Amino acid sequence: VAVAKRRWRLFSNDRSEAETPRVINANASIRFLVFYPLYHYITNIRKEKITDGRFFMNIKEQAYQAAKELCEIAGLKSGQIMVIGCSTSEVTGARIGTNPDPDTAVELYEGIDAALRERGVYLAAQCCEHLNRAIVVEREAVPFADPVNAVPQKKAGGSFATVAYNRMKDPIVIEKICADAGLDIGHTLIGMHLKEVAVPVRLSLL
């Protein structure tokens, strides 16, 4: 009940209720990370009405640092996979699914992708529920997977998955994956695409 109440507060229209329980954002994880603190911090940056490009710079830098640190803590090796769940609506201060933002998705994708490329780790992007939380991933990362006939769009799959599909070299969409690590930005719930044993971790970004 306490957990449910705290989550409700994040989406409350009452500003005092929504901003009070910052400790909620301590819920990060590794090798199977359930991580949503990033969006709360980025939301605060947005509220400062920064209009000179620093908003996107901060998003990209934070995304890079979060992905890099998770790789280090998890000890990810070349060829392994990190699944990313991302709500750009939450990042920009709106409720999940209500305000998809491709520009924000580009900055998040570029930051995370840069960190993963340094280690040879593959990025798997989780689509939204409109595509049954399907996964966008490079074909070479899952050579024996059976692709589905779907292409994510801004409002049918989500901005982040759409950007991933358009930026990857040879992307495919698959029903599910068993990733070695995960980063959840905006509380999108990525557990179904992780290995069954999850180890929480608190990143220094928090």
Side-chain angles (χ1 to χ4, degrees):
V1 175
V3 172
K5 185 175 182 181
R6 287 178 176 177
R7 287 177 180 169
W8 174 84
R9 285 180 177 176
L10 284 177
F11 305 110
S12 170
N13 289 325
D14 182 338
R15 186 168 182 177
S16 62
E17 285 288 318
E19 295 182 352
T20 298
R22 284 179 174 268
V23 69
I24 297 174
N25 292 337
N27 193 12
S29 51
I30 140 184
R31 195 197 167 203
F32 329 124
L33 174 84
V34 178
F35 175 79
Y36 63 92
L38 183 61
Y39 84 85
H40 188 75
Y41 186 62
I42 290 175
T43 298
N44 290 339
I45 294 174
R46 186 75 166 203
K47 288 176 181 176
E48 294 174 7
K49 298 182 180 180
I50 296 175
T51 58
D52 61 0
R54 284 181 291 156
F55 171 63
F56 289 119
M57 179 180 68
N58 276 293
I59 289 178
K60 187 172 181 178
E61 289 178 351
Q62 290 176 56
Y64 172 83
Q65 291 299 328
K68 180 178 180 179
E69 186 175 352
L70 179 58
C71 284
E72 293 172 351
I73 296 173
L76 294 183
K77 303 293 191 299
S78 178
Q80 291 189 296
I81 299 172
M82 181 186 292
V83 63
I84 309 296
C86 177
S87 168
T88 56
S89 297
E90 291 283 351
V91 171
T92 56
R95 178 176 293 194
I96 187 170
T98 62
N99 186 38
D101 188 336
D103 292 334
T104 299
V106 168
E107 299 303 314
L108 288 163
Y109 179 84
E110 290 182 350
I112 294 169
D113 185 59
L116 299 189
R117 284 181 180 276
E118 292 176 358
R119 285 180 169 257
V121 174
Y122 289 105
L123 187 159
Q126 176 179 280
C127 297
C128 71
E129 63 270 21
H130 294 101
L131 281 185
N132 293 334
R133 300 185 186 276
I135 291 291
V136 178
V137 66
E138 290 283 10
R139 188 185 302 271
E140 65 181 20
V142 285
F144 302 108
D146 185 18
V148 298
N149 189 19
V151 177
Q153 303 296 322
K154 174 182 175 181
K155 294 187 177 181
S159 294
F160 187 84
T162 301
V163 169
Y165 190 92
N166 291 331
R167 293 296 187 93
M168 289 181 179
K169 180 175 60 177
D170 185 19
I172 58 174
V173 178
I174 57 178
E175 293 180 0
K176 57 186 178 180
I177 201 168
C178 193
D180 302 288
L183 189 63
D184 188 329
I185 305 170
H187 207 179
T188 62
L189 304 182
I190 59 175
M192 68 188 72
H193 294 306
L194 296 170
K195 292 181 176 178
E196 293 184 0
V197 179
V199 182
V201 64
R202 187 183 183 93
L203 301 181
S204 62
L205 186 65
L206 309 180

